[in-house]
Amino acid sequence: MASNLNLKLKIWRQPSTNAKGTFQDIDANNIPETASFLEMLDIVNQRIMDGGGDPVAFDHDCREGICGTCSMVINGIPHGPRRGTTACQLHMRLFKSGDTIWIEPFRAKAFPVIKDLAVDRSAFDRIMVAGGFISVRTGSAQDANALPISKDDADSAMDAAECIGCGACVATCKNASAMLFVSAKAGQLNSLPQGQPEKHRRVLGMVQAMDKSGFGNCTNQYECEAACPKGISVRWIAKLNRDYALATVHESLLAPAKGKGGGAA
Amino acid sequence: MSALLKSFSTFLGSSIGKKLLVALTGAVLVLFLLGHMIGNLLIFAGPDAINEYGHFLQTMLHGGGVWIARIGLLVSVVVHIVLTIQLTRENRAARTERYGYNATLQASKSSRIMILSGLTILAFIIYHLLHFTVHAGNNYGTYQVILHGENVHDVYKMVIAGFSWLPASIFYIIAMLLLCSHLGHGVSSMFQTLGLATERTRPIYEKIGSAYAALILIGNCSIPIAIYVFHYGR
């Protein structure tokens, strides 16, 4: 028989980006343990609105753990205490009646708060624009297996491609570094033949966009890997470090001078 | 040339570029520590062994060898410290609003006090150089001994005298504990930053790092403990 929980919430309330925020104490009584964490917030918000108050703003979309939109820090851990789980897939049965739950936004200078728990993650979009893509010929599909890729490489690239771009790595990092995200996004393409032509440009561009957005620097504490709802490995960070060194050597010493091509005049 | 300079300044301006230089200078210092410790342990082989070693270092390449090493180490230390301070400042600036509820998932204690352990080691290095290299506030520089018919600096007597004073021995041991902590995170971190770690190799690097840190701690602390506590050479 499912039981109900009585919880004490401490929720970060911040009216706008530049406004000062504070924790608001909210009693959440009679929450069914079968609810998801976001459904618990829906119930709380409905009660706030019924009383004429301002509901808590939070980001959410698919609610099935694949879109990367939900973004809140629950008791100091992005997406909450359960490993490999997004906040939307976290269930209230993990909590006990009487628990106090702290709910805060992702905190990073590069992720300004929009309102309450909703943060602006467009810094990630700027990083993707700087190289998180491949340029391909569109039109009719090419022959199957025209481009051989080993099973190991395909599997490995898929591990990085699991990144849903939620930003939990930034939120949990002691330095608000985006290295896990950037390394996964660059690494999945750099692992495959389709990513080779733009590899050096991609690595230099994405790292530069990352640095410009005001993220911190990786100190190899691997908090990101532990908080990642998709369990992206920090081996991608090692690969990005390696690829960055190679790209720098290529760009500074080996690449031909720009605009000198063209063949016969 | 200007294109090369531009690439270098971009590299130095980037987070990964700075970290690669911190890792490379760290590697120089890590290797130096091992050589320095092995040299120091010659004290247990008797006065002649360590005095001969000291004399060799001073006269290697007609006295130039020691200066090549000093300049190399000075450059490594300066680059290592300047860049880590810069990186730490950027890291603090990247999160201006702190969390109300703090949690740590798997970051080690050592990794969280790197700047503190590092700056304490810097203070120790300055004290150590004043103590045994510059001989500030002591007369260790006047100690002489005859070795193979030649008048050389009596390193053995200097070390025994240096560690016969309790505060110096205690400070050396505290500094070595912090150095052990610094190496505990730094050595394996070096491999990750240089891009040499994978899921298979990272646990191995972590074990090597811990073992190396313990080796340096035990090796270096054995000298003040032997001299002060067990009256070695006194």
Side-chain angles (χ1 to χ4, degrees):
Chain A
M1 188 59 200
S3 64
N4 287 356
L5 305 172
N6 297 325
L7 303 163
K8 292 188 192 319
L9 306 182
K10 285 182 174 292
I11 304 187
W12 185 257
R13 303 305 302 266
Q14 183 173 340
S16 62
T17 303
N18 294 318
K20 209 180 130 45
T22 49
F23 283 99
Q24 183 186 7
D25 290 310
I26 297 175
D27 286 327
N29 294 326
N30 242 346
I31 301 293
E33 66 169 12
T34 52
S36 75
F37 201 85
L38 300 192
E39 284 164 349
M40 181 275 290
L41 287 178
D42 291 338
I43 295 168
V44 167
N45 271 344
Q46 190 60 50
R47 291 175 188 164
I48 292 174
M49 286 187 288
D50 288 347
D54 185 22
V56 180
F58 64 92
D59 277 324
H60 61 102
D61 192 9
C62 76
R63 298 208 178 196
E64 54 187 15
I66 56 166
C67 77
T69 307
C70 50
S71 57
M72 58 188 72
V73 175
I74 301 160
N75 286 344
I77 305 171
H79 297 297
R82 202 179 145 94
R83 275 210 168 194
T85 308
T86 54
C88 61
Q89 291 284 294
L90 189 70
H91 283 83
M92 295 314 296
R93 56 177 171 265
L94 277 169
F95 296 92
K96 290 194 301 290
S97 212
D99 279 357
T100 300
I101 307 176
W102 293 69
I103 309 170
E104 310 172 58
F106 284 0
R107 296 195 194 275
K109 195 170 143 255
F111 287 168
V113 171
I114 299 168
K115 188 183 179 199
D116 300 337
L117 306 176
V119 295
D120 180 359
R121 282 169 284 179
S122 47
F124 271 10
D125 298 338
R126 291 194 293 276
I127 293 169
M128 293 305 278
V129 167
F133 54 84
I134 55 163
S135 304
V136 289
R137 180 183 70 93
T138 55
S140 57
Q142 71 176 24
D143 287 346
N145 300 325
L147 207 54
I149 302 172
S150 80
K151 173 87 167 84
D152 290 342
D153 287 348
D155 286 350
S156 174
M158 210 53 208
D159 290 342
E162 272 197 82
C163 171
I164 52 175
C166 65
C169 45
V170 174
T172 197
C173 176
K174 303 288 178 203
N175 316 315
S177 165
M179 283 288 280
L180 192 67
F181 167 77
V182 177
S183 66
K185 291 300 179 192
Q188 60 164 327
L189 302 176
N190 292 341
S191 302
L192 295 172
Q194 292 93 330
Q196 297 314 304
E198 293 154 312
K199 185 179 169 189
H200 297 315
R201 217 189 312 168
R202 168 180 310 114
V203 169
L204 295 173
M206 290 178 82
V207 170
Q208 193 177 34
M210 170 183 84
D211 290 341
K212 255 170 69 179
S213 295
F215 293 104
N217 308 294
C218 175
T219 44
N220 306 330
Q221 294 174 303
Y222 313 140
E223 290 285 280
C224 50
E225 183 184 76
C228 177
K230 299 294 154 185
I232 307 283
S233 162
V234 293
R235 79 181 160 100
W236 294 102
I237 297 182
K239 178 170 165 58
L240 184 68
N241 291 335
R242 182 165 70 237
D243 288 345
Y244 187 81
L246 294 175
T248 301
V249 169
H250 180 266
E251 163 119 335
S252 57
L253 301 174
L254 306 177
K258 287 196 175 67
K260 290 281 170 64
Chain B
M1 191 63 206
S2 74
L4 202 62
L5 270 179
K6 197 172 149 252
S7 291
F8 186 69
S9 85
T10 309
F11 180 76
L12 210 53
S14 77
S15 57
I16 298 181
K18 284 196 275 272
K19 279 165 49 57
L20 284 168
L21 286 177
V22 170
L24 289 172
T25 51
V28 170
L29 299 172
V30 161
L31 292 175
F32 164 74
L33 278 175
L34 184 66
H36 191 41
M37 184 194 75
I38 293 171
N40 288 347
L41 289 176
L42 285 175
I43 194 154
F44 294 120
D48 285 358
I50 193 154
N51 287 336
E52 192 168 342
Y53 170 68
H55 186 63
F56 163 73
L57 290 184
Q58 290 293 334
T59 54
M60 181 174 49
L61 302 177
H62 303 287
V66 73
W67 280 103
I68 293 171
R70 280 173 181 167
I71 291 167
L73 288 168
L74 182 69
V75 169
S76 297
V77 166
V78 168
V79 169
H80 195 76
I81 293 170
V82 168
L83 291 181
T84 42
I85 288 176
Q86 212 176 332
L87 288 163
T88 305
R89 288 171 62 113
E90 287 172 11
N91 292 345
R92 303 244 159 111
R95 178 167 293 133
T96 41
E97 185 106 49
R98 320 297 305 173
Y99 281 111
Y101 187 109
N102 275 298
T104 294
L105 298 167
Q106 61 180 16
S108 65
K109 260 258 146 26
S110 295
S111 73
R112 302 183 64 191
I113 58 163
M114 285 304 269
I115 193 78
L116 176 88
S117 56
L119 291 175
T120 312
I121 294 163
L122 172 65
F124 166 75
I125 292 172
I126 293 168
Y127 172 73
H128 182 47
L129 290 176
L130 290 172
H131 191 201
F132 282 151
T133 306
V134 182
H135 309 302
N138 60 50
N139 60 350
Y140 299 160
T142 61
Y143 294 179
Q144 297 285 317
V145 69
I146 310 263
L147 182 77
H148 308 315
E150 215 181 332
N151 224 5
V152 301
H153 183 216
D154 194 347
V155 179
Y156 182 81
K157 193 177 163 195
M158 172 180 83
V159 174
I160 304 289
F163 290 130
S164 296
W165 190 48
L166 183 63
S169 291
I170 290 176
F171 185 43
Y172 270 73
I173 290 170
I174 291 171
M176 286 309 117
L177 285 169
L178 284 164
L179 178 64
C180 178
S181 161
H182 203 74
L183 293 172
H185 177 67
V187 172
S188 61
S189 196
M190 211 161 68
F191 290 99
Q192 170 78 357
T193 299
L194 293 174
L196 303 173
T198 63
E199 273 153 345
R200 275 184 301 122
T201 53
R202 190 174 317 103
I204 302 170
Y205 295 143
E206 279 168 8
K207 283 198 186 75
I208 292 174
S210 305
Y212 193 84
L215 177 75
I216 296 286
L217 175 73
I218 295 166
N220 281 339
C221 287
S222 68
I223 299 168
I225 290 173
I227 293 170
Y228 193 84
V229 181
F230 298 104
H231 296 272
Y232 176 78
R234 288 166 75 193

